[in-house]
Amino acid sequence: MTGLAGGKALPRRTILMGASALPLLAMSGCGSLAPENIQARHQIEKSLKSFHAVKSVNVELDSNFTAGDSWSVLILLNKNPGREDTLTVLKDAYSRVVQEVGDDFVSVSASWVQNGASVSWPISGDEPNGAELDYLRELAKPGRGAMSAGRGRVSVDRGVVKEFPADLIVAPRSGVGVSDSFEVDGMTIRAVSDTVDLSPIPLRKVVEAIDSKYRKEAVVELTDNDIVSGSISLDVAAFGKESDGLDVTAAAKVLKVVSGNQLLQELGLTTAWNTSAASREGVFFHMKAGAFDAGDPPEEGAKILAAAQTSASASS
């Protein structure tokens, strides 16, 4: 028996087994302390730091006995890196990492500050899109929060803002899509366009038409490729709680704003999301040449159309 602090003792065989586990782990070659992994980490850092634009490199290794080693590499670039220096990193960094550890379980990304905006870009073995980088560099400005790119779309997340942005970004360029999102007055707003300039759709007026009592937790999304229909779609989830039913009069105010719009193809007007059940209640209209169909469900659509007509008559 061998004594321990506190007067307790363990069988000698228990201590011997614990000690023998250390060389066993070392011999297995697994884990961040394995010699080959330490060497790979060093080589990755050395190789990536040789890029002119790179400020620092963080290499993380997640070892799993069943799944194998998973490498995560985050490359921090210097502030406001030049176009060509940035493009070189995006083009070659992944292959340099793979050269050291293989490509089975590798994640590589770059981050930097461009003109006051925080930028992130996942790096893969695919050739980076120079036009995408150009558009990102053009859009990067102070006040535009966090930006990301690398998958054919430049995404802007402004976070919480005090007022609707005067510089809302809704136009793709050179085959590069764009997403602009923010929160204002408790509402979450997002505009996504991959192929169509959505500027003819008056998103600001839509937001302004939402009654103040329904703004908290309202969600407004404008997209040129709806995930279900593939249409140019405006979806407003705001008008009351699902348990109380849709406020038809409030919804009709938004319908009036986009009535006659030649670009919009689909309009959704619903209650706010019931987050516990991931559900809501409302009406979805299809549009053609600015005119609405009966809506789905048509009986509820008729109520909104009638309310909009009544409001229009009263204001004329």
Side-chain angles (χ1 to χ4, degrees), residues 31-49:
S32 59
L33 297 180
E36 63 269 28
N37 288 336
I38 294 175
Q39 178 65 18
R41 184 194 301 269
H42 174 73
Q43 289 299 114
I44 290 171
E45 292 175 348
K46 180 179 179 181
S47 178
L48 296 180
K49 285 179 180 179

Side-chain angles (χ1 to χ4, degrees), residues 73-226:
V73 181
L74 175 60
I75 306 167
L76 177 63
L77 305 187
N78 294 316
K79 191 174 181 178
N80 298 320
R83 178 190 186 276
E84 295 306 317
D85 286 339
T86 304
L87 200 57
T88 297
V89 174
L90 300 179
K91 179 180 179 180
D92 297 334
Y94 186 83
S95 62
R96 292 197 181 187
V97 174
V98 169
Q99 183 177 343
E100 298 298 331
V101 297
D103 62 355
D104 288 341
F105 301 98
V106 173
S107 171
V108 184
S109 61
S111 64
W112 69 96
V113 173
Q114 193 78 47
N115 297 333
S118 176
V119 175
S120 63
W121 190 301
I123 303 176
S124 68
D126 298 331
E127 185 75 13
N129 187 341
E132 189 172 353
L133 178 61
D134 291 341
Y135 199 20
L136 180 146
R137 288 168 59 84
E138 179 183 313
L139 294 177
K141 294 178 182 179
R144 286 192 170 162
M147 303 181 67
S148 62
R151 296 184 175 93
R153 178 192 295 166
V154 176
S155 296
V156 179
D157 185 355
R158 302 172 189 256
V160 178
V161 299
K162 294 182 179 180
E163 58 185 11
F164 194 98
D167 59 348
L168 182 70
I169 310 163
V170 291
R173 194 185 76 176
S174 302
V176 179
V178 65
S179 168
D180 195 346
S181 61
F182 56 93
E183 295 182 27
V184 61
D185 291 342
M187 299 178 287
T188 299
I189 318 294
R190 186 171 184 242
V192 182
S193 180
D194 289 321
T195 59
V196 180
D197 182 350
L198 298 177
S199 56
I201 299 173
L203 188 58
R204 177 195 288 269
K205 291 183 178 180
V206 166
V207 171
E208 291 173 348
I210 299 174
D211 288 347
S212 58
K213 65 179 179 180
Y214 292 137
R215 293 192 171 189
K216 186 179 180 181
E217 299 182 357
V219 177
V220 181
E221 184 164 9
L222 175 64
T223 176
D224 70 340
N225 186 16
D226 181 78

Side-chain angles (χ1 to χ4, degrees), residues 248-263:
V248 170
T249 302
K253 293 179 181 179
V254 169
L255 183 139
K256 281 180 58 182
V257 170
V258 297
S259 179
N261 189 276
Q262 301 294 304
L263 184 60

Side-chain angles (χ1 to χ4, degrees), residues 202 205-206 209-210 234 236 239 248-261 264 267-269 283-287 290-295 300-312:
K205 291 183 178 180
V206 166
I210 299 174
L234 173 64
V236 185
F239 311 109
V248 170
T249 302
K253 293 179 181 179
V254 169
L255 183 139
K256 281 180 58 182
V257 170
V258 297
S259 179
N261 189 276
L264 193 60
L267 173 66
L269 301 171
V283 181
F284 292 87
F285 295 94
H286 291 286
M287 298 176 65
F292 297 101
D293 69 357
E300 294 299 318
K303 295 177 184 179
I304 296 177
L305 293 170
Q309 182 60 43
T310 301
S311 176

